Amino acid sequence: MFRTCDITGFKVCLASQKLIRINAVFAVVSLLIAVLGAILLVFTRWQEVHLLSSPWYYRILTLHGLNALIFWIVFFEIAGLYFGSTVVLNTRFCSPLLGWVSFILMAGGFIMVDVMVLQGKADVLMTSYVPLKAHPLYYLGIILFAVGALLGVGLFFGNLVKAKREGNVGESLPLFTFGLMAAAIIAVMTLLSGAVVYVPTFLWSLGLIESVDSAWYRLIWWGLGHSSQQINVAAMIAIWYLTASLTVGGNSVNEKVSRIAFLLYVLFICIASAHHLLVDPAVSSTWKVWNTSYAMYLAVLASMIHAFAVPATIESAQRRKGYTNGLFEWFARAPWGNPAFSSVFLAIIGFGFIGGITGVIYGMEQTNIIVHNTMAIVGHFKGTVVLGTTLTFMGITYYIIPLIFRKKIVAFKLAKIQPWLFFFGIAILSVSMIALGMFGVPRRHWDITFSGAIFSHDFNPVIGIFWVLMVLGGVVAFLGALIWLLIVVISVFFGPAVNGPEDFQLSIAEPAPQADHGHKFIAPGTLVASLIFMAALLIFFFLNWKWLSAIWEIQ
Amino acid sequence: MSLTAPPKDWYIKKIARDEKGWIIFSLIICLFMFFWMILWHVYGKQNPSSITYTTTTAEFTQLHQAFSDKYKIGEDNNLPVVMPPAESDVFLLGQMWSWSPVLVLKKDEWYTFHLSSKDVVHGFSVQPINMNFMVLPTYDYTIKFKPTETGEYKIVCNEFCGIGHHMMIGKIVVVNDESELGQYGITKTN
């Protein structure tokens, strides 16, 4: 059963639309739990308030991590995979029944895990490093969720096969779906790592296996924990290209280059789970250097390629539409009133300048010594997962509401401000956390005044200002997230219906004219911005190696 | 359009000059960073060790006990204060929720640390220099340190290890010679 979309012209499979909707709803519920947890955590880490007790701090930290990093993102990605493999390809869903089985497994696992955590039966944090032990149902919940997600990824491939058989795709997939396919391949590796690590851990929690080795656990667990963030990177960048098309009518300046960059992700990005083992026993420096650098930084190269290609796609389209003055007229005249565009552009900036730069440098073997398990790491991944992935997903939701849920966006004026609030909030929070980490403040720590301990340590008093900034950023970001959640929930459940193109508040841009825009460079503004980015990276690189050289000598 | 099949010539389309230049420049930076890590092993003075021994919690506890008894010079908050000679092996034990023993080291001397845990995973974070390593049960992580500044250092645990995680804090004192011990509240008793 299909309907033909009166806005985009796509044939929308109704069974697929239902599955996209239900997975997206659960994604939003997960994000709501994560965001409520986040604000409690911010006010606990800030010692002036120190809101939660020690057990509840670690409990809510476990809850926040799982809901933000796993449930919100994977539910959303499954919805995205279904969209990219059916609606975009005008194809029907290969097996709606299995789609529902996948959803029920995921939802069951999600509920099981959250209930266990809130009952205090899994105070082990998201990483649950053995030999810390949680209730068996906690591990079972994660296994069910992972199996459900793996089935969902399998259905994505099934949809591609169906589309091909029915002649809906030619020789090449659209770039958006191609990017999603890269994410799906990475997802298979990631979810299998999850099965390999959690099945023995589950049996151990039941008492059927005597012990699980702690070094082995960390190695395999990060095959799930880190690689799942690499699924996000691929999915997020696929959405960046999609948004460039929808908002300014741009097409990748060179599809071959963009596709090769996705291929580099598939080949190399998963080995970077070594980032988490750089100061671990049991693995050698040779292993660390090779893996942490994604085999000579070939996956970083892929990100650098996208970092140029996505803004260049937007710039080139804008220039061909006539915005050719100076280096940045295309930028100033971009559709900033479209919340999807502003979300994505801010996500590109945040992901690159905050998440990307810190990620590359903290992920080097030796510099990791001065940041491992400090707040700087948390600051880094707020830059990648929150400013990058979450803000991107928030942005594209402004298209999903009218196109998939067929509802108008309520409080559209507020929606235009929301990405800015969220961006500046998280950016301030993230940079403050990075600064705190530089002064040695540990992550996952309830009380850095060490109450009740035999010794104490006074951190540099300058950190006081960064705690205040972190709280400030946290509150602003919380408001930004809350506005988004309210807009989405009210629009979807109580909003006026979209009955035709006249109710569509965003726009879908016409493809930009094909003709050359006459400049000898395809995207001179982007080139200048990219060079500024590289300069920032190199400055941060040398600063960190300078700081490293000031500590004790280590062999 | 990223929602439709690519144009016919997508595979043979020439890469624009600026994009090509950017890719080459990025590749150079990538290779530079990769070889920098290797060169730091040759010329740099801070490199994580590749030496690990497997052990058992019982065996390591015994090694740690023998080490503490051998070089004990006093007590601090019921923990032994231990001053091992330069170049010797140091057995530091992490457990819920303490680091043992308190160490007295000499500036500019090398010590071979053995880090392990009696129970769960811990994080060995020396403050205020901010130097961080992981401590795992049944693994003896063997790292050589040379303290380059005198002073009092704290070992904060920075991997979650249970409800008392925030109370897990140890102490290292670095001196030029024994006469400075008084400044750090340590009296030599044996």
Side-chain angles (χ1 to χ4, degrees):
Chain A
M1 287 287 285
F2 287 99
R3 69 173 171 86
T4 301
C5 181
D6 46 14
I7 298 167
T8 59
F10 280 122
K11 274 167 69 190
V12 181
C13 163
L14 294 177
S16 185
Q17 177 173 283
K18 270 190 196 143
L19 284 163
I20 295 167
R21 283 180 179 177
I22 191 76
N23 279 289
V25 166
F26 269 67
V28 173
V29 173
S30 311
L31 184 68
L32 175 65
I33 298 171
V35 165
L36 293 176
I39 198 73
L40 296 176
L41 296 173
V42 163
F43 279 102
T44 304
R45 283 307 306 256
W46 190 33
Q47 304 260 164
E48 307 292 323
V49 177
H50 214 214
L51 189 62
L52 300 173
S53 66
S54 165
W56 273 99
Y57 167 72
Y58 295 116
R59 205 162 288 158
I60 296 297
L61 188 54
T62 310
L63 188 78
H64 169 71
L66 285 161
N67 283 278
L69 282 167
I70 303 287
F71 300 141
W72 143 246
I73 275 174
V74 177
F75 273 123
F76 198 95
E77 279 162 353
I78 293 292
L81 288 179
Y82 292 168
F83 172 76
S85 62
T86 58
V87 179
V88 173
L89 303 180
N90 298 296
T91 298
R92 68 191 171 87
F93 200 90
C94 62
S95 170
L97 178 68
L98 286 179
W100 285 98
V101 171
S102 153
F103 167 72
I104 288 164
L105 285 170
M106 286 171 69
F110 155 72
I111 292 164
M112 209 185 251
V113 167
D114 277 358
V115 168
M116 282 295 121
V117 171
L118 283 171
Q119 286 188 343
K121 289 178 180 164
D123 294 338
V124 290
L125 302 196
M126 178 184 140
T127 44
S128 58
Y129 292 138
V130 298
L132 286 174
K133 198 184 271 183
H135 193 281
L137 287 181
Y138 168 82
Y139 301 113
L140 185 64
I142 292 180
I143 292 169
L144 291 180
F145 183 83
V147 169
L150 195 57
L151 178 58
V153 173
L155 293 169
F156 167 81
F157 290 112
N159 290 340
L160 292 190
V161 170
K162 193 152 232 32
K164 185 94 186 164
R165 278 209 193 134
E166 294 181 357
N168 294 327
V169 281
E171 287 181 345
S172 311
L173 288 172
L175 182 61
F176 171 62
T177 309
F178 186 85
L180 288 181
M181 189 180 70
I185 295 170
I186 297 168
V188 172
M189 297 188 254
T190 302
L191 294 165
L192 287 178
S193 302
V196 170
V197 74
Y198 272 113
V199 170
T201 309
F202 171 58
L203 296 176
W204 165 74
S205 73
L206 287 171
L208 298 173
I209 289 180
E210 201 178 320
S211 68
V212 176
D213 184 273
S214 58
W216 175 86
Y217 179 95
R218 282 173 56 76
L219 174 69
I220 310 292
W221 193 90
W222 283 110
L224 167 74
H226 198 95
S227 306
S228 54
Q229 309 317 315
Q230 318 289 28
I231 311 172
N232 301 344
V233 172
M236 169 185 85
I237 292 172
I239 295 176
W240 290 356
Y241 284 110
L242 171 68
T243 310
S245 295
L246 292 177
T247 57
V248 298
N251 187 27
S252 167
V253 285
N254 192 307
E255 287 226 12
K256 180 166 72 173
V257 171
S258 298
R259 282 166 197 254
I260 289 174
F262 277 118
L263 187 64
L264 288 174
Y265 279 156
V266 172
L267 293 175
F268 299 109
I269 207 163
C270 281
I271 60 179
S273 55
H275 283 181
H276 300 264
L277 308 180
L278 294 175
V279 294
D280 264 39
V283 278
S284 72
S285 283
T286 318
W287 184 91
K288 289 172 182 174
V289 168
W290 178 257
N291 288 289
T292 198
S293 69
Y294 316 84
M296 304 210 239
Y297 288 109
L298 290 177
V300 169
L301 180 66
S303 290
M304 301 274 197
I305 291 174
H306 292 304
F308 179 88
V310 176
T313 296
I314 295 167
E315 178 174 354
S316 162
Q318 289 282 85
R319 282 182 183 274
R320 280 179 279 138
K321 286 190 207 166
Y323 302 122
T324 51
N325 286 336
L327 278 175
F328 294 111
E329 193 200 10
W330 64 274
F331 179 76
R333 303 286 292 273
W336 294 105
N338 179 336
F341 179 85
S342 49
S343 296
V344 162
F345 215 98
L346 293 170
I348 293 170
I349 293 169
F351 184 86
F353 278 88
I354 298 177
I357 288 179
T358 54
V360 169
I361 288 155
Y362 295 166
M364 297 185 82
E365 190 203 10
Q366 294 94 337
T367 36
N368 189 254
I369 296 172
I370 58 168
V371 289
H372 180 77
N373 271 358
T374 69
M375 289 287 275
I377 299 299
V378 191
H380 149 69
F381 69 73
K382 302 287 172 215
T384 52
V385 187
V386 187
L387 276 185
T389 309
T390 296
L391 187 52
T392 299
F393 288 2
M394 282 176 166
I396 201 66
T397 303
Y398 290 119
Y399 274 99
I400 296 175
I401 294 171
L403 295 180
I404 297 293
F405 287 92
R406 303 291 293 176
K407 289 292 172 78
K408 282 184 78 163
I409 298 164
V410 297
F412 191 63
K413 279 196 180 132
L414 219 47
K416 291 181 183 181
I417 311 169
Q418 181 273 329
W420 297 90
L421 269 182
F422 193 72
F423 173 83
F424 281 109
I426 296 292
I428 294 167
L429 174 97
S430 177
V431 171
S432 315
M433 283 176 160
I434 290 165
L436 289 167
M438 292 294 166
F439 288 102
V441 175
R443 67 188 284 201
R444 302 176 151 187
H445 202 281
W446 176 63
D447 184 3
I448 59 158
T449 64
F450 309 97
S451 55
I454 53 170
F455 302 119
S456 189
H457 172 66
D458 294 318
F459 289 96
N460 190 325
V462 84
I463 64 170
I465 183 87
F466 293 110
W467 284 119
V468 173
L469 284 172
M470 187 194 92
V471 171
L472 192 74
V475 170
V476 173
F478 178 72
L479 288 177
L482 212 58
I483 291 172
W484 183 84
L485 284 160
L486 286 172
I487 290 173
V488 171
V489 171
I490 296 173
S491 304
V492 166
F493 292 103
F494 311 104
V498 168
N499 294 317
E502 67 281 6
D503 292 331
F504 188 50
Q505 294 144 296
L506 305 174
S507 58
I508 293 178
E510 289 294 317
Q514 286 301 313
D516 208 340
H517 56 63
H519 200 286
K520 62 179 175 174
F521 285 145
I522 201 160
T526 301
L527 186 63
V528 169
S530 302
L531 291 172
I532 292 170
F533 166 79
M534 197 62 101
L537 186 142
L538 289 173
I539 290 168
F540 200 64
F541 175 94
F542 286 112
L543 273 178
N544 274 274
W545 286 88
K546 176 80 192 139
W547 290 327
L548 173 74
S549 69
I551 68 170
W552 293 358
E553 292 184 21
I554 307 164
Q555 278 181 9
Chain B
M1 179 73 169
S2 58
L3 283 172
T4 51
K8 278 268 175 275
D9 66 339
W10 74 274
Y11 197 79
I12 48 164
K13 187 179 170 188
K14 269 188 77 174
I15 304 171
R17 251 193 293 181
D18 42 354
E19 187 167 39
K20 192 185 263 176
W22 171 253
I23 294 171
I24 293 168
F25 180 49
S26 298
L27 182 62
I28 292 168
I29 298 286
C30 286
L31 293 175
F32 160 74
M33 292 193 298
F34 177 74
F35 288 106
W36 179 282
M37 280 194 285
I38 295 170
L39 287 173
W40 196 266
H41 274 277
V42 182
Y43 301 107
K45 291 182 172 145
Q46 292 81 17
N47 288 292
S49 144
S50 291
I51 302 172
T52 306
Y53 298 100
T54 50
T55 180
T56 61
T57 49
E59 181 193 50
F60 193 87
T61 308
Q62 215 172 22
L63 286 166
H64 152 261
Q65 194 60 49
F67 160 74
S68 296
D69 292 345
K70 192 169 174 190
Y71 301 120
K72 183 173 169 181
I73 59 163
E75 284 202 354
D76 186 350
N77 286 289
N78 292 327
L79 286 174
V81 177
V82 174
M83 186 168 180
E87 305 278 327
S88 64
D89 289 282
V90 172
F91 292 86
L92 186 79
L93 180 72
Q95 59 181 307
M96 295 162 146
W97 292 289
S98 68
W99 295 103
S100 174
V102 171
L103 291 167
V104 179
L105 307 177
K106 279 197 170 161
K107 185 183 169 227
D108 291 330
E109 297 287 355
W110 282 102
Y111 296 88
T112 305
F113 272 61
H114 296 261
L115 304 174
S116 193
S117 160
K118 200 173 180 175
D119 37 55
V120 298
V121 178
H122 297 288
F124 171 82
S125 174
V126 181
Q127 298 301 337
I129 51 167
N130 198 13
M131 174 177 87
N132 307 282
F133 289 94
M134 292 302 290
V135 179
L136 270 55
T138 76
Y139 287 91
D140 167 354
Y141 196 6
T142 307
I143 316 173
K144 286 185 181 168
F145 292 121
K146 182 168 106 176
T148 50
E149 298 277 351
T150 59
E152 185 176 303
Y153 299 88
K154 294 292 162 43
I155 311 169
V156 174
C157 178
N158 70 2
E159 185 55 78
F160 173 67
C161 59
I163 245 60
H165 168 50
H166 65 279
M167 294 188 292
M168 182 166 172
I169 178 166
K171 183 169 160 183
I172 299 176
V173 169
V174 177
V175 294
N176 287 306
D177 64 75
E178 289 183 23
S179 64
E180 295 165 20
L181 285 176
Q183 295 171 27
Y184 303 104
I186 294 168
T187 26
K188 213 171 158 180
T189 53
N190 53 327

